[in-house]
Amino acid sequence: QVQLVESGGGLVQAGGSLRLSCAASGSIFSIDSMGWFRQAPGKQRELVAAITTSTNYADSVKGRFTISRDNAKNTVYLQMNSLKPEDTAVYYCNFQVRGPTMILSVYWGQGTQVTVSS
């Protein structure tokens, strides 16, 4: 089993910055990808950013958010700058992990609230 622990959410004014972190622990042989999703009230969960050997961003966050990873720590980060009220959501990290059997499994963090005030 793999556990993901998120941190870094909170309340910030528009134009401000936050940095989210998500650390994985447990039976990990390799991590195929790491990513961040978000879900606002009444909306579907959407991809914000993902990182494998390259990065991928939602159009709405390009140029403002940066995803990065620390392989030694099995940790993914999301640096969020120039935050807007429409960025308000619960943010979830997502790992695609291979264990000792090489079977690919998907894990989710517990979610962290990001609230941007206008």
Side-chain angles (χ1 to χ4, degrees):
Q1 279 295 328
V2 174
Q3 296 79 39
L4 303 184
V5 178
E6 298 183 28
S7 61
L11 173 64
V12 65
Q13 289 188 333
S17 298
L18 284 173
R19 188 191 194 210
L20 305 182
S21 300
C22 179
S25 61
S27 183
I28 299 171
F29 182 80
S30 65
I31 300 175
D32 282 18
S33 72
M34 303 174 180
W36 290 95
F37 289 70
R38 66 186 181 188
Q39 187 166 19
K43 295 187 177 181
Q44 289 189 335
R45 190 173 297 189
E46 63 175 0
L47 175 67
V48 175
I51 183 168
T52 55
T53 55
S54 61
T55 56
N56 181 38
Y57 296 94
D59 288 343
S60 59
V61 306
K62 283 181 181 177
R64 300 188 298 121
F65 290 11
T66 302
I67 189 170
S68 61
R69 62 192 288 178
D70 184 333
N71 292 330
K73 296 181 179 180
N74 289 335
T75 299
V76 64
Y77 305 96
L78 186 67
Q79 178 66 44
M80 304 185 293
N81 299 329
S82 302
L83 282 160
K84 303 176 181 180
E86 50 264 43
D87 294 318
T88 295
V90 178
Y91 284 69
Y92 298 91
C93 61
N94 171 283
F95 279 45
Q96 297 185 19
V97 176
R98 294 188 188 272
T101 61
M102 298 304 289
I103 294 174
L104 185 67
S105 298
V106 179
Y107 296 93
W108 292 90
Q110 79 277 15
T112 186
Q113 178 69 46
V114 171
T115 303
V116 185
S117 62
S118 57

